[in-house]
């Protein structure tokens, strides 16, 4: 609940660390570049930066999520920036610049809602931080699910790409807490 959407310097930044200790930076980078090319393939998805020497990949991505505002569900586009930083034995995935378009309750489908003004604890949770507000909660839950799913898929891709068993390493993705 509280703290699930980390805010760093006023911006929502999800950070996931992938522990893949069996591999060096080059192996991890090659696997995640291959995964990125296969994953970020939609019309609004693209790899913006790929630097093998630094072990960095930056991609723009768009996902479609279903939210329920009022009685009816609607489809919303979630745009974000994914930054992958590979090192020996691990990788950090940062998801930031989260934006939503196509809000079903808006009169203008082009209106943009930022994560900072919608899914943070301040806006999505009640005063006691024990319940998620309806409607907004769908955005929050779907966003966290996408971030976690990307991290799990990326980690599996490292092992698959490097011909290692994935099943033995499925518990190595950790949520890095936001600095306070």
């Amino acid at each position: 609940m509280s703290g699930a959407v980390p805010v760093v310097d006023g911006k929502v930044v999800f950070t996931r660390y992938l522990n893949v200790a069996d591999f060096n930076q080059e192996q991890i980078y090659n696997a995640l570049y291959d995964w990125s090319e296969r994953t970020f393939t939609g019309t609004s998805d693209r790899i913006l930066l790929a630097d093998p020497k630094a072990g960095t990949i930056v991609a723009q991505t768009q996902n479609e999520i279903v939210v329920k505002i009022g009685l009816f569900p609607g489809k919303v586009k979630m745009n974000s920036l994914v930054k992958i930083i590979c090192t020996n034995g691990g990788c950090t995935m940062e998801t930031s610049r989260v934006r939503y378009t196509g809000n079903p309750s808006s009169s203008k489908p082009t209106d943009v809602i930022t994560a900072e003004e919608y899914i943070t604890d301040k806006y999505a949770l009640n005063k006691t931080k024990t319940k998620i507000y309806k409607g907004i909660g769908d955005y929050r839950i779907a966003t966290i699910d996408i971030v976690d799913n990307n991290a799990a898929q990326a980690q599996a891709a490292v092992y698959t790409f490097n011909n290692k068993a994935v099943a033995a390493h499925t518990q190595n993705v950790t949520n890095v807490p936001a600095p306070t």
Side-chain angles (χ1 to χ4, degrees), residues 47 71 86 97 104-105 115 133 143-144 146 158 165:
I47 296 174
L71 297 174
C86 305
R97 299 185 188 175
S105 66
Y133 290 126
T143 302
I144 294 168
I146 288 168
V158 172

Side-chain angles (χ1 to χ4, degrees), residues 29 32-33 36-37 40-52 56-62 79-84 94 96-97:
Y29 174 85
L32 292 180
Y33 182 77
S36 296
E37 281 190 315
F40 306 125
T41 58
T43 55
S44 297
D45 296 346
R46 63 178 180 241
I47 296 174
L48 302 173
L49 170 75
D51 184 348
T56 304
I57 302 164
V58 179
Q60 176 182 310
T61 183
Q62 184 177 88
N79 297 288
S80 61
L81 190 72
V82 177
K83 182 178 183 182
I84 301 169
E94 293 179 356
S96 60
R97 299 185 188 175

Side-chain angles (χ1 to χ4, degrees), residues 58-74:
V58 179
Q60 176 182 310
T61 183
Q62 184 177 88
N63 297 85
E64 191 171 83
I65 61 176
V66 176
V67 298
K68 188 174 181 183
I69 303 292
L71 297 174
F72 304 102

Side-chain angles (χ1 to χ4, degrees), residues 127-141:
K127 289 181 184 180
T128 59
K129 309 281 188 239
T130 57
K131 292 185 180 180
I132 298 175
Y133 290 126
K134 292 182 180 181
I136 294 173
D138 290 350
Y139 284 82
R140 182 179 170 109
I141 292 166

